[in-house]
């Protein structure tokens, strides 16, 4: 029987290819596990750092019109409908204007939000958005598992209720230039809920 060096080379190449494939599969599995672990870590960060006042501030601002939101962003005095009073008091400190001065609403249908109170709400919203943006950066860049993040944070995007993660406030702040990952996430969730929406739709 003659010695065939080509057979040895072919066999070695085959074994080498199998080894490379096994290593590739292992690295891919490790990468996916790491991305899932990162997603869970980020969700825990959100749960720990998010506070009640910031959540109430988000709900309040998402229920205001564009002019009122702009006034809060600019830290100006504004009048709000009395239906927003309890939520407003809930997201502010004991220094809330009405409490400080003991103003009686009487039969009025609105109340005044002082500039200092607008400033406090603005700070809560900016802190809320900064925290969320830092989490969604990992989602946007594939560092954290996309599906897990989308499932956990999609509750923030409810188009039928006008809830698009503080869209009007983000517009006032500079839109996609300031919060690019939140903007991309809001669009992605809208597309999942309504496939007819394309990437050119206006989402701040």
């Amino acid at each position: 029987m003659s010695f065939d060096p080509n057979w040895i080379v072919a066999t070695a190449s085959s074994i080498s290819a199998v080894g490379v494939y096994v290593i590739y599969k292992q690295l891919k599995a490790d990468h996916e596990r790491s991305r899932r672990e990162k997603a869970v870590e980020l969700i825990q960060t959100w749960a720990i750092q998010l506070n009640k006042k910031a959540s109430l501030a988000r709900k309040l601002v998402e229920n205001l019109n564009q002019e009122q939101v702009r006034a809060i962003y600019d830290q100006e005095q504004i009048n709000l409908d009395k239906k927003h009073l309890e939520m407003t008091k809930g997201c502010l400190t004991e220094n809330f204007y009405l409490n400080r001065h003991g103003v009686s609403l009487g039969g009025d249908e609105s109340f005044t939000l002082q500039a200092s109170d607008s400033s406090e709400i603005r700070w809560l919203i900016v802190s809320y958005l900064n925290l969320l943006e830092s989490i969604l950066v990992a989602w946007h860049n594939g560092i954290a598992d996309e599906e897990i993040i989308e499932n956990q944070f999609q509750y923030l995007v409810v188009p039928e209720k006008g809830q698009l993660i503080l869209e009007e406030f983000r517009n006032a702040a500079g839109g996609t230039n300031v919060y690019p990952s939140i903007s991309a996430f809001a669009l992605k969730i809208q597309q999942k809920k309504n496939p007819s929406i394309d990437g050119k739709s206006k989402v701040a």
Side-chain angles (χ1 to χ4, degrees):
M1 182 176 180
S2 61
F3 175 73
D4 184 358
N6 292 329
W7 179 83
I8 296 176
V9 173
T11 301
S13 297
S14 176
I15 294 173
S16 177
V18 171
V20 169
Y21 178 74
V22 170
I23 292 173
Y24 166 75
K25 293 292 287 185
Q26 182 62 49
L27 289 174
K28 184 177 181 181
D30 290 344
H31 176 64
E32 292 303 317
R33 181 173 63 253
S34 175
R35 291 173 71 247
R36 290 192 294 271
E37 290 174 348
K38 185 62 177 179
V40 172
E41 176 187 327
L42 292 170
I43 292 167
Q44 291 175 332
T45 298
W46 175 257
I48 292 171
Q49 295 192 23
L50 186 63
N51 61 69
K52 181 179 179 181
K53 289 183 181 296
S55 293
L56 286 173
R58 174 184 68 83
K59 292 179 181 179
L60 170 66
V61 171
E62 287 191 326
N63 281 285
L64 301 181
N65 61 40
Q66 185 178 25
E67 182 180 351
Q68 291 169 327
V69 173
R70 170 63 71 171
I72 287 177
Y73 181 79
D74 291 336
Q75 304 174 74
E76 298 173 347
Q77 176 180 301
I78 55 173
N79 289 328
L80 297 181
D81 191 285
K82 192 163 63 175
K83 67 182 180 182
H84 300 307
L85 178 59
E86 291 307 313
M87 190 173 294
T88 301
K89 292 170 68 175
C91 66
L92 293 174
T93 66
E94 63 277 5
N95 292 323
F96 179 52
Y97 176 77
L98 294 180
N99 291 339
R100 288 200 305 268
H101 299 276
V103 175
S104 174
L105 289 173
D108 295 338
E109 294 303 318
S110 65
F111 65 96
T112 300
L113 193 66
Q114 297 299 298
S116 59
D117 301 319
S118 289
S119 179
E120 187 169 345
I121 292 175
R122 182 186 189 277
W123 183 85
L124 287 170
I125 294 298
V126 169
S127 298
Y128 181 98
L129 288 173
N130 287 346
L131 173 59
L132 184 59
E133 178 72 11
S134 69
I135 290 172
L136 294 182
V137 162
W139 164 85
H140 201 191
N141 291 281
I143 299 170
D145 185 273
E146 288 92 342
E147 184 176 0
I148 293 176
I149 294 296
E150 289 169 18
N151 288 339
Q152 291 297 314
F153 290 91
Q154 63 180 341
Y155 76 93
L156 295 173
V157 182
V158 188
E160 60 271 22
K161 294 184 179 180
Q163 297 175 6
L164 299 174
I165 315 183
L166 297 156
E167 179 181 38
E168 294 295 350
F169 191 94
R170 288 187 289 111
N171 279 337
T176 56
N177 293 326
V178 180
Y179 299 106
S181 297
I182 292 177
S183 298
F185 183 82
L187 176 58
K188 176 68 178 295
I189 299 303
Q190 287 185 84
Q191 290 174 325
K192 289 178 68 173
K193 294 182 177 182
N194 183 0
S196 66
I197 296 176
D198 60 38
K200 296 180 181 179
S201 298
K202 175 184 175 294
V203 179

